[in-house]
Amino acid sequence: MPEVNVQEHLSFFAGLYRVDEFPKLGMWMLYLTIVALCIVVYKLGFAQKLPMLKSILIYLFLALGCTILTFLAIFLPITEGLVVAALILIIYKIRRYNYKKDQAQNDA
């Protein structure tokens, strides 16, 4: 049976964090990256003003859901997709801010 090189099949971030060589540290780094990116995407695209307890509950469930995404992100481009989503939302927020600023200047 031919030997399979796992490193060739890892996603970019899993390879970057060397999940195959340092599984414990690599998985924690991948998990923290995914949690951070999920928080950024949530805040930029979906967050609303909520009471403190509801916000804590949302972030708790977000962190729990990221555990599943971490295992999928070893071989699938989950983290890369979150980076793209965050960049798109950042560009959208900047353009919307500039548009509102231009509208305020035109109205004045």
Side-chain angles (χ1 to χ4, degrees), residues 1-2 8 10-11 14 17 19-20 25 30 35-36 39 41 48 58 70 72 80 85 94 100 107:
M1 194 158 163
E8 290 178 4
L10 294 176
S11 68
Y17 297 140
V19 172
D20 57 329
L25 179 64
L30 188 60
V35 168
I39 289 172
V41 169
Q48 297 178 357
I58 285 180
T70 302
L72 293 174
E80 293 83 349
I94 291 170
K100 286 184 177 184
D107 291 342

Side-chain angles (χ1 to χ4, degrees), residues 73-85:
I74 296 171
F75 296 112
L76 297 174
I78 302 292
T79 316
E80 293 83 349
L82 287 169
V83 168
V84 170

Side-chain angles (χ1 to χ4, degrees), residues 95-108:
R95 291 189 64 163
R96 193 174 86 178
Y97 172 76
N98 288 336
Y99 177 77
K100 286 184 177 184
K101 190 170 74 170
D102 289 343
Q103 287 295 328
Q105 286 177 354
N106 290 340
D107 291 342

Side-chain angles (χ1 to χ4, degrees), residues 55-74:
S55 291
I56 290 171
L57 197 61
I58 285 180
Y59 287 113
L60 179 70
F61 282 116
L62 187 130
L64 288 173
C66 287
T67 57
I68 296 167
L69 290 178
T70 302
F71 290 111
L72 293 174
I74 296 171

Side-chain angles (χ1 to χ4, degrees), residues 42-59:
Y42 171 72
K43 291 291 277 183
L44 289 173
F46 306 103
Q48 297 178 357
K49 203 79 153 149
L50 293 173
M52 181 65 84
L53 190 58
K54 286 183 182 179
S55 291
I56 290 171
L57 197 61
I58 285 180
Y59 287 113

